[in-house]
Amino acid sequence: MKKTVGIIGAGTMGGGIAQVAALAGFDVLLYDTSGEALKASMERIRGDLRTSVQKGTATSPEATAALTRIRPRRTFEEMGAADAVIEAAPEDLEVKKEIFRALDRIVAPRAVLATNTSSLSITSIGSLTRTPESVVGMHFFNPPARMKLVEIVRGSQTSEQTVRTVHEMALAMGKTAVFCSDTPGFIVNRVARPFYGEALRVLGEGTATAEEIDRIVRLSGGFRMGPFELMDLIGIDVNYAVTKSVYEQFYHEPRFRPHPIQRRMVEAGTLGRKTGRGFYRYE
Ligand SMILES: NC(=O)c1ccc[n+]([C@@H]2O[C@H](COP(=O)([O-])OP(=O)(O)OC[C@H]3O[C@@H](n4cnc5c(N)ncnc54)[C@H](O)[C@@H]3O)[C@@H](O)[C@H]2O)c1
């Protein structure tokens, strides 16, 4: 079992994955290029662990121990000490390629290199390393502390040993794994694209408001959140980047086409919950 997990990117997902890994007993090195993001992430983790204790889902000693296992880091080279790395930087292939090229220079040859990408090619990311057999998709869902599912994605050169290792890690974190091959958006984000896209088209045509669409989807479909509530939770920028990525990789298949509403919201910086305003307003 891999003991020290390095997490790259301390945003919505990286912070949540750090929390889940620390609660499962892993030592965590949490890295971000932004000191502010790192500080905010540690605050969120502290707050969330406090809530878990209040709700009785973790004991106070468990929460305290988890917190002490997470070491925030500003120096990338320190990730070299990790037995397994989970990358959760922005959904931009160039950014991820740069990270994996740099990781390749510092990690031990047997280290597992996982990416939390929602849609990008594991094969392409792996090809930049000397050990493409150690590169794998480990796709957590938002919020990682509460969502049970992890998609484990095999790149065309990923070894079975690597898949087994991340499966063991996912199980240790209390997750249920689903396995799939390396296709744009994997399973969940491919199936979800038309869900967001059609809702955006209904909104764009003025057929109904975001509130109405969300309410109908919740009441009639039994979904816990409607498409606009979910996009606000994910981050409009992240959701837009994933949509563009799936659309590009499927050679501009019309059913995956992004919507101008998404682009405008990214331009305006109304990115959902994380900025206090998206399709809805937040305190
Ligand atoms: N938000 C979701 O619902 C969700 C769900 C599943 C998977 N994902 C995937 O997880 C990844 C991260 O998404 P997120 O929502 O956490 O994004 P985010 O914007 O909340 O966080 C990204 C973090 O990465 C940091 N960063 C930027 N460049 C970096 C670099 N070169 N090295 C290290 N850190 C860097 C940023 O400072 C930021 O803190 C993406 O690939 C996304 O597709 C997101």
Side-chain angles (χ1 to χ4, degrees), residues 11-13 32-33 37 88-91 96 116 118 139-140 142 234 238:
T12 309
M13 295 306 291
D32 202 292
T33 43
E91 189 74 350
K96 293 194 191 290
N116 187 50
S118 304
H139 184 219
F140 290 81
N142 187 6
I234 291 164
V238 175

Side-chain angles (χ1 to χ4, degrees), residues 6-276:
I7 296 173
I8 297 183
T12 309
M13 295 306 291
I17 298 167
Q19 181 180 330
V20 170
L23 273 171
F26 292 97
D27 290 322
V28 176
L29 302 169
L30 180 59
Y31 168 81
D32 202 292
T33 43
S34 153
E36 247 172 61
L38 210 47
K39 206 166 143 220
S41 189
M42 290 305 293
E43 273 312 306
R44 274 198 307 275
I45 294 170
R46 208 168 280 126
D48 208 68
L49 285 171
R50 208 178 299 129
T51 309
S52 303
V53 173
Q54 281 159 4
K55 285 189 177 160
T57 51
T59 65
S60 184
E62 279 167 355
T64 308
L67 206 52
T68 56
R69 278 189 211 110
I70 305 175
R71 283 175 286 159
R73 287 290 177 262
R74 287 297 309 284
T75 312
F76 185 78
E77 282 63 34
E78 292 186 67
M79 292 291 118
D83 301 304
V85 173
I86 304 172
E87 170 276 317
E91 189 74 350
D92 177 324
L93 188 58
E94 291 314 310
V95 171
K96 293 194 191 290
K97 280 181 169 177
E98 197 47 54
I99 290 171
F100 277 77
R101 266 194 215 102
L103 273 176
D104 190 45
R105 293 195 284 269
I106 59 168
V107 293
R110 294 174 68 92
V112 164
L113 304 179
T115 169
N116 187 50
T117 179
S118 304
S119 66
L120 298 167
S121 162
I122 310 301
T123 306
S124 164
I125 293 170
S127 72
L128 298 164
T129 68
R130 282 167 300 170
T131 53
E133 65 278 9
S134 303
V135 178
V136 65
M138 190 177 189
H139 184 219
F140 290 81
F141 290 81
N142 187 6
R146 278 174 280 287
M147 298 296 278
K148 283 277 171 216
L149 185 66
V150 170
E151 277 177 328
I152 295 181
V153 189
R154 290 184 178 91
S156 61
Q157 299 191 74
T158 308
S159 71
E160 276 315 301
Q161 178 57 51
T162 300
V163 169
R164 263 198 304 277
T165 303
V166 287
H167 188 199
E168 280 170 19
M169 288 172 64
L171 290 176
M173 294 179 199
K175 303 298 177 198
T176 300
V178 171
F179 301 87
C180 59
S181 61
D182 192 11
T183 51
F186 320 126
I187 306 169
V188 176
N189 270 304
R190 177 169 173 184
V191 171
R193 274 325 96 195
F195 175 68
Y196 303 117
E198 210 49 45
L200 283 159
R201 281 188 278 276
V202 171
L203 179 71
E205 288 159 13
T207 308
T209 63
E211 289 87 341
E212 283 166 330
I213 300 166
D214 279 343
R215 196 156 56 90
I216 288 160
V217 168
R218 267 190 275 106
L219 294 179
S220 71
F223 286 74
R224 289 181 64 186
M225 297 175 94
F228 299 98
E229 291 161 328
L230 198 47
M231 281 186 271
D232 272 3
L233 175 75
I234 291 164
I236 309 299
D237 52 340
V238 175
N239 193 269
Y240 181 49
V242 174
T243 308
K244 278 197 300 185
S245 157
V246 172
Y247 180 61
E248 291 296 329
Q249 292 181 78
F250 274 116
Y251 308 103
H252 296 181
E253 168 84 39
R255 67 200 155 118
F256 298 128
R257 185 178 291 144
H259 197 281
I261 291 175
Q262 295 173 290
R263 192 181 62 224
R264 285 284 175 270
M265 291 178 77
V266 173
E267 287 166 353
T270 50
L271 306 181
R273 288 193 191 195
K274 61 186 169 187
T275 58

